[in-house]
Amino acid sequence: MAFAPPRNMDGLKLQTKMSTWTPLNNQLMNDKVFEERRALLGKWFDKWTDGQRRRILVDLLERCSLSQQKFCAKQLQDRVPTEALDFTTRLPRVLSLYIFSFLDPRSLCRCAQVSWYWKYLSELDQLWMLKCLRFGWYINFSPTPFEQGIWKKHYIEMVKELHITRPKV
């Protein structure tokens, strides 16, 4: 009979559950059946479309426990490189500012267009004050803590004055 429960070496019937093809009381056979089914599932998976693969992955994840989902997340984290990792959010702010301090003013302005956080960093007075002082450009008042970007504005004004006062050739 084609669907008869499998027998072990002694000819005794093996205990099975819900399927005549999954023996419970013989670990060696359990392992063998598992590997055969795993290989078969792999062959099917290779032939499925992207949409079918996504559906089966969602179905499998929904059946997983929280610890199994965490395991899957860790596996993905190890295998898939994080794209567009923003170093400024990973490094301490002091180090990010130190890196930005090597940029020229034009590059700093371009950095301000990357993201809100980069805009915040690239417009800090700590960066622009050094650039102004390098040329001997001082402000004649003491800015309050609520005044942000004073040194950048001062730098831009001074550069505009240079263009105005420079003789035309």
Side-chain angles (χ1 to χ4, degrees):
M1 177 182 248
F3 295 105
R7 297 183 182 273
N8 68 3
M9 308 300 176
D10 302 329
L12 301 173
K13 284 188 178 179
L14 295 173
Q15 180 186 359
T16 60
K17 181 178 181 183
M18 295 177 55
S19 166
T20 57
W21 300 106
T22 308
L24 294 178
N25 58 352
N26 187 328
Q27 188 60 42
L28 185 62
M29 287 190 69
N30 275 346
D31 294 341
K32 184 179 177 187
V33 169
F34 173 77
E35 289 303 323
E36 288 173 358
R37 289 180 180 175
R38 187 170 157 244
L40 181 62
L41 183 61
K43 287 178 185 176
W44 289 344
F45 192 82
D46 291 340
K47 294 181 181 184
W48 290 336
T49 65
D50 185 59
Q52 290 170 324
R53 287 178 176 193
R54 288 173 190 243
R55 280 196 321 229
I56 198 69
L57 288 172
V58 168
D59 289 346
L60 289 172
L61 283 173
E62 287 175 352
R63 292 172 186 232
C64 290
S65 68
L66 183 60
S67 66
Q68 292 165 339
Q69 289 176 358
K70 286 180 181 179
F71 172 79
C72 291
K74 175 80 170 95
Q75 290 295 313
L76 285 173
Q77 207 172 32
D78 292 345
R79 295 171 193 265
V80 180
T82 307
E83 296 178 24
L85 178 65
D86 184 4
F87 71 91
T88 61
T89 60
R90 300 285 185 199
L91 292 175
R93 188 175 122 180
V94 175
L95 286 178
S96 297
L97 288 175
Y98 181 70
I99 293 169
F100 278 24
S101 72
F102 291 101
L103 298 175
D104 61 290
R106 183 178 298 237
S107 298
L108 273 176
C109 291
R110 288 182 179 144
C111 286
Q113 299 173 354
V114 171
S115 68
W116 286 105
Y117 187 65
W118 279 43
K119 179 177 173 48
Y120 165 75
L121 285 178
S122 64
E123 292 184 354
L124 284 173
D125 287 336
Q126 297 161 342
L127 292 172
W128 289 95
M129 181 177 62
L130 296 173
K131 301 203 180 302
C132 287
L133 295 178
R134 189 174 297 141
F135 291 110
W137 299 338
Y138 303 98
I139 55 175
N140 54 4
F141 64 94
S142 191
T144 68
F146 301 108
E147 292 179 295
Q148 298 291 324
I150 295 297
W151 284 98
K152 180 182 177 183
K153 289 175 188 167
H154 183 63
Y155 184 92
I156 292 170
E157 288 173 18
M158 296 305 288
V159 169
K160 284 181 183 177
E161 274 185 37
L162 285 177
H163 286 298
I164 293 170
T165 58
R166 186 173 58 184
K168 295 183 180 179
V169 177

